[in-house]
Amino acid sequence: MKIKSVEALLYKWTGPVKTDDTIFATPLSILPFQEDAQAPFRFFSWLVVRITTNDGVVGLGNAGLSPDITKQVVDNKLTPLLEGENPLNTDYLFEKMYRSTIAYGRKGSVLAAISAIDIALWDIKGKVTGQPVFMLMGGRTKDQIPAYYSRLYTRDLEKLEKEAYTYKKQGFKGMKLRCGYPMRDGLKGLRKNVEMVRVVRETVGDDVDIMLEAYMGFKLTYAKRFLKELEPYNLRWVEELLIPDEIHNFAKLRSSTDIPISGGEHEFSRYGFHELLQADALDIFQFDTNRVGGFTEAQKICSLAETHGVEVIPHGGQMHNLHVVMSSFASPMAEYFPKTEIEVGNELFWYIFDGEAVAENGHLQLDDNTAGVGLTLKKETELDNFEVIK
């Protein structure tokens, strides 16, 4: 079996976008450089990699990180490395791509491109063997996957209370809200963020986990003070308080609090996560399989994490992450974004693929009898609001 072709398909959303009352990312800087602080983190395109073998087996991978740039990497740098290779040699092909791009890669868009290809290769491997990817990665480690609801995007306290109550009634035993107020709002903003947490805790009670996303928006001393104020609310974790390069400060932060500290959404490869382990920087790793290096790297990071007592709870709830969660004892739960109107960009995969797992009573299930990743592309007649660039 040989790789016959590699196609990078860029799906650009051209339909309506909801922008009002949407707080999903805390501003990264105290500098007032942008009126719309959420703008740098919205993305309205998605990359699909389609690999076809010489005997007609098709594998699908994807990347949500800088899809336009990632497409160029796939087309111009990686495709020539893959044509004619055996798609089942996933470890070898990862190393070939990683080492061939190391001078300008290692992280970011290059790793996203490698990830998309690796996911497609594992999809082929699953289809050839007749097994779902999670079975090839170690098998089923749980009857079903507990999911936490990740769309508490409002800072309006009345709406926040109603949404939290709704998600609890739907059976979710965990939910995540965002910091609605940036560091430049000072102590007033800090207290408003704490008030948001208080409202959710009082709404859902003590039997539902609450997570808080800071999206790299704080500095060390401010974050320490913030965590102190959050201690009464028994948070499951606080996420990405600092920018990812501040590994040493994450370690200081973790040693200063009993609240679990999570991160890694913006870290790449087993090498990046080894640095985090060496520093004792995080309690929870939150890589995304379509950024970190695909299934090949995800599997290795999970093994490292489990050895060190670190949990793995991937960023995003798409199928590529669910296979990792299902197959690893290091991973106790999955993030869940339901199908909604387009608001941030996380919703796009619902409009591109068929086969995504839908939560029932706060849990997700994968099918033992669906080979590969389990996704298919929607028909062209269902893509009215997309421009597809080949």
Side-chain angles (χ1 to χ4, degrees), residues 63-125:
L65 180 66
S66 59
D68 52 345
I69 299 172
T70 303
K71 174 176 168 54
Q72 296 300 315
V73 175
V74 173
D75 288 340
N76 299 321
K77 300 296 185 180
L78 300 180
T79 294
L81 301 174
L82 297 169
E83 291 172 338
E85 292 282 7
N86 186 333
L88 304 185
N89 289 334
T90 47
D91 263 69
Y92 164 75
L93 291 176
F94 177 88
E95 290 298 321
K96 185 177 184 180
M97 291 186 289
Y98 185 82
R99 292 172 182 271
S100 297
T101 58
I102 204 163
Y104 54 88
R106 298 175 55 241
K107 298 179 185 289
S109 297
V110 173
L111 256 292
I114 292 174
S115 301
I117 288 171
D118 186 83
I119 292 168
L121 294 174
W122 278 81
D123 193 28
I124 290 172
K125 186 183 290 192

Side-chain angles (χ1 to χ4, degrees), residues 258-278:
D258 291 328
I259 300 174
I261 304 298
S262 71
E265 174 185 338
H266 297 95
E267 191 53 83
F268 302 87
S269 85
R270 63 190 183 271
Y271 300 109
F273 283 87
H274 181 258
E275 289 185 25
L276 289 166
L277 288 172
Q278 291 290 96

Side-chain angles (χ1 to χ4, degrees), residues 24-30 40-41 179 183 212-219 223 238-246 250 262-267 291:
F24 57 90
T26 309
L28 277 177
S29 173
I30 61 173
F41 314 115
C179 292
M183 189 172 67
L212 181 63
E213 163 75 90
Y215 212 82
M216 307 174 286
F218 300 146
K219 297 291 187 182
V238 178
E239 183 171 330
E240 281 200 312
L241 284 153
L242 313 171
I243 62 173
D245 302 294
E246 294 189 55
F250 269 109
S262 71
E265 174 185 338
H266 297 95
E267 191 53 83
R291 300 179 186 180

